[in-house]
Amino acid sequence: MTEPAQNAPFRRKHPRTGPNLVDVQMNLVLASDPVVGRVFTNEQCTARTSAAAFTRHVVIDVSGTPLAGVCTAGQSFGVVPPGTDERGRPHSMRLYSLASPTAGENANPNLIATTVKRLIDEHHDTGKLFLGVCSNFLCDTQPGDEVLVCGPSGKRFVLPANPGAHDYVFFATGTGIAPFRAMLHDLLAQSTGSRIVLVAGVPYATDLMYHDTFVSLDKQHSNFMYLPTVSRHAQFDGSPSCYVQDRLVTHKDLLIPMLESSRTLMYVCGILGMELGLCRTMHQVLAPEVLAPWMTIDGSISHEPASWNQKMMYRQIKPSGRVFIETY
Ligand code: FAD
Ligand code: NAP
């Protein structure tokens, strides 16, 4: 499947030193020949109705299509929105991360889900209202509506083949939470006892997605900890606003021992740039021997983390195979 450039996942090259990953199926349905799914449910998934962002949990019934029962937590699927672009060509496919567990939403293999945020803005050039095509199409759908879907795609941002051999630190920003909802349900269902920390970053507390579910899972499972993280006002406990990577400082007693352990894998999903901030903070807070298994840093820049930029990622700052990054 050829993905349009605007939807191409951020590519990276680094030595593969990580664990064997779970086998996945890929591209069973091509974007050029999508299949018809039907919206099963479409519900707001932010913490409160007054959220600044409009984000919805959309469940699609793909029964009778090759997508039924084949999507793995961490993968994405494609949606081809109806209609044509400004040049009269059919809209291109957009990718959405699977938010449903590998077994399917509510353990129904015919149901796949995602977490969609409406792209709403003023047009960069004209200043008029700019509505993203596919995100608003998906968010506007009603149960029973047809959605053209394809996929699944992605084989690197998935859980290891032997999940019980590892502990997990998940860093999400915004809708980057989607794959972690899926992976978390997979891991908890397998009762491996693995330790799992989910750091979920959003601008405002009202933007937190699946918040009540994660709070409840945190209470039910002693091996799972949920750390909601708000960037534009104080945290629930009154501590200052911060980014997800700052949790390595505020919660160092929890997170540093996990990063010291060879069992731990790190997954990062969401806004492009968060991986750079995370690497910078890790460089600042971890002892060199603890940092080494997580990334290699070119000697020419290792003493100047403040000057690091995104272009250095994967060239001079190379996360190891224990770090899984999907940012866009
Ligand atoms: P479009 O109509 O495609 O508009 C976006 C385009 O318009 C961009 O090219 C952008 O440069 C441009 N643009 C943006 N703002 C403006 C503006 N103000 N003025 C002018 N032009 C502008 N999204 C989710 O919500 N949930 C997910 O789980 C998710 N998973 C993803 C997984 C992967 C692997 C990738 C690559 C992307 C994922 N996305 C996800 C993003 C998703 O694919 C779409 O890009 C997003 O929903 C926006 O699509 P759209 O059709 O609504 O916007
Ligand atoms: P959002 O609601 O705007 O939240 C993003 C959060 O990240 C905000 O709190 C923001 O803080 C913070 N942030 C900004 N820069 C950061 C940095 N350098 N380091 C750490 N945190 C930072 O997010 P969104 O609109 O949902 O966007 C999420 C992005 O993830 C989108 O681009 C989407 O395409 C992508 N995504 C990718 C995948 C994937 O690849 N599989 C899946 C889902 C989503 P401030 O705004 O306060 O600065």
Side-chain angles (χ1 to χ4, degrees):
M1 178 168 58
T2 306
E3 292 155 354
Q6 66 159 7
N7 259 342
F10 199 77
R11 303 282 178 211
R12 70 193 191 290
K13 290 181 181 167
H14 64 73
R16 289 292 310 123
T17 53
N20 291 331
L21 301 178
V22 69
D23 283 334
V24 297
Q25 305 226 45
M26 295 256 292
N27 305 329
L28 297 180
V29 179
L30 301 183
S32 55
D33 192 16
V35 293
V36 177
R38 284 192 187 278
V39 173
F40 188 72
T41 53
N42 180 348
E43 293 163 353
Q44 188 169 19
C45 61
T46 43
R48 299 185 201 129
T49 50
S50 58
F54 301 101
T55 312
R56 303 188 70 85
H57 182 69
V58 180
V59 182
I60 301 171
D61 185 344
V62 292
S63 52
T65 81
L67 292 179
V70 301
C71 297
T72 300
Q75 287 190 295
S76 303
F77 62 94
V79 174
V80 182
T84 54
D85 64 19
E86 63 283 357
R87 293 184 192 169
R89 297 175 306 195
H91 283 302
S92 56
M93 175 271 284
R94 274 73 164 170
L95 287 170
Y96 291 92
S97 289
L98 200 69
S100 42
T102 301
E105 185 77 355
N106 300 324
N108 181 341
N110 292 320
L111 299 180
I112 58 173
T114 189
T115 316
V116 194
K117 179 178 172 182
R118 288 185 187 271
L119 196 168
I120 303 175
D121 205 346
E122 289 188 346
H123 197 285
H124 296 322
D125 301 327
T126 65
K128 292 188 175 174
L129 180 64
F130 180 89
L131 294 177
V133 171
C134 195
S135 58
N136 284 286
F137 159 70
L138 274 178
C139 286
D140 283 342
T141 54
Q142 302 283 324
D145 285 353
E146 287 188 0
V147 181
L148 293 178
V149 285
C150 58
S153 67
K155 62 178 180 182
R156 281 285 300 118
F157 195 81
V158 293
L159 289 169
N162 183 2
H166 300 279
D167 296 318
Y168 303 86
V169 182
F170 294 153
F171 287 102
T173 51
T175 51
I177 197 75
F180 299 135
R181 177 186 187 268
M183 290 179 177
L184 181 64
H185 282 297
D186 273 19
L187 289 170
L188 293 178
Q190 291 176 46
S191 302
T192 61
S194 297
R195 298 184 70 200
I196 310 157
V197 178
L198 170 62
V199 186
V202 288
Y204 303 99
T206 48
D207 295 325
L208 286 164
M209 288 149 272
Y210 311 113
H211 178 70
D212 293 344
T213 303
F214 292 141
V215 168
S216 159
L217 289 172
D218 177 308
K219 284 185 185 147
Q220 288 166 36
H221 299 270
S222 58
N223 57 323
F224 170 56
M225 179 153 189
Y226 170 52
L227 271 179
T229 301
V230 182
S231 61
R232 299 193 190 173
H233 61 72
Q235 311 299 331
F236 289 117
D237 65 4
S239 59
S241 63
C242 65
Y243 278 168
V244 287
Q245 58 267 32
D246 298 322
R247 290 310 195 185
L248 293 172
V249 177
T250 63
H251 286 66
K252 63 176 191 241
D253 293 347
L254 169 77
L255 289 170
I256 304 292
M258 285 190 75
L259 298 190
E260 287 170 347
S261 161
S262 60
R263 279 178 54 87
T264 304
L265 303 177
M266 182 184 295
Y267 288 72
V268 181
C269 188
I271 203 160
L272 184 64
M274 66 183 290
E275 68 276 42
L276 177 68
L278 195 51
C279 287
R280 189 184 279 133
T281 305
M282 287 171 74
H283 179 270
Q284 284 163 352
V285 303
L286 298 180
E289 67 276 15
V290 180
L291 183 68
W294 292 105
M295 67 184 81
T296 50
I297 296 165
D298 192 296
S300 64
I301 62 162
S302 62
H303 299 297
E304 298 174 37
S307 67
W308 291 0
N309 61 51
Q310 191 67 27
K311 281 188 184 161
M312 295 172 180
M313 273 311 304
Y314 312 109
R315 293 191 177 96
Q316 290 153 289
I317 306 161
K318 297 180 183 170
S320 77
R322 284 168 60 194
V323 186
F324 300 83
I325 301 177
E326 202 161 88
T327 55
Y328 178 71

